[in-house]
Amino acid sequence: MTRKYKVLFLCRENSARSIIAEALLRELAGHRFDAFSAGPEPAARVHPCAVAQLRPGISDLGILSPKSWLEFTGEWAPRMDLVVALDESVDTRHAPVFPGEPASCTWTFADPLAHDIAESERARVFEKVFWQIVRQMSAFIELPQYATPAGAVATAVIPALSASSQRVTTCDA
């Protein structure tokens, strides 16, 4: 029996993109991966638009919460195999040192919480980013290096994929 790969997703507030990525990896391939998420400035709660995107298919939303990335830097922290930054403000140049020297990569997605997005457009932007993360995650879990035992993880830089969807969800900020 091989152990699961441990993957940490990073995003500034850990309330949207990284939460979505954590939930999707757990749901799509939880038998092969332990998924975590964190950020340098964790929000007080998961953003309602992120919950709205996840609600139709994610079984355990109750375990999702914003966390500080410092929770993953101590001796007691789980040893990650891969750290994925979901925006450039939290990539390896800005992130703390994580125990075990995990591989790292950056998947850049638009920030659905950006201040220049009109509130009337926010749900649409969340949906677009959600589907981009779904496509990226689907490609990620199919990578050959994740079919081998954990510990043989190679650094993989995977470009962000664009996507669109017909599903419409709403959220209340």
Side-chain angles (χ1 to χ4, degrees):
M1 181 174 169
T2 60
R3 70 179 178 90
K4 291 182 179 182
Y5 293 98
K6 290 181 175 42
V7 181
L8 175 62
F9 296 99
L10 302 178
C11 208
R12 187 173 43 86
E13 292 183 358
N14 187 220
S15 67
R17 292 169 289 181
S18 53
I19 291 284
I20 290 170
E22 173 188 0
L24 285 171
L25 184 57
R26 187 177 292 124
E27 193 73 18
L28 295 173
H31 62 288
R32 292 178 20 218
F33 296 92
D34 284 328
F36 305 89
S37 67
E41 303 167 16
R45 63 188 171 102
V46 175
H47 196 279
C49 288
V51 172
Q53 288 297 321
L54 292 169
R55 184 163 282 130
I58 303 300
S59 57
D60 198 0
L61 293 175
I63 63 173
L64 300 173
S65 66
K67 295 165 286 307
S68 171
W69 60 10
L70 296 178
E71 291 183 29
F72 297 91
T73 61
E75 289 180 28
W76 41 264
R79 299 294 190 258
M80 296 299 146
D81 295 296
L82 179 65
V83 175
V84 180
L86 297 178
D87 67 56
E88 293 177 0
S89 72
V90 296
D91 67 11
T92 56
R93 295 171 298 196
H94 301 98
V97 175
F98 296 103
E101 299 179 20
S104 65
C105 64
T106 299
W107 299 346
T108 304
F109 299 105
D111 183 359
L113 299 175
H115 297 293
D116 61 346
I117 297 174
E119 285 303 315
S120 60
E121 290 294 308
R122 194 159 315 276
R124 186 188 63 75
V125 174
F126 259 93
E127 183 172 353
K128 180 179 178 182
V129 169
F130 172 82
W131 285 108
Q132 288 173 337
I133 295 172
V134 166
R135 290 183 63 167
Q136 182 69 46
M137 196 64 64
S138 296
F140 169 71
I141 62 178
E142 294 302 320
L143 289 172
Q145 65 261 40
Y146 296 107
T148 60
V153 177
T155 301
V157 179
I158 305 166
L161 301 171
S162 60
S164 62
S165 167
Q166 301 302 316
R167 187 175 74 156
V168 176
T169 57
T170 60
C171 58
D172 299 316

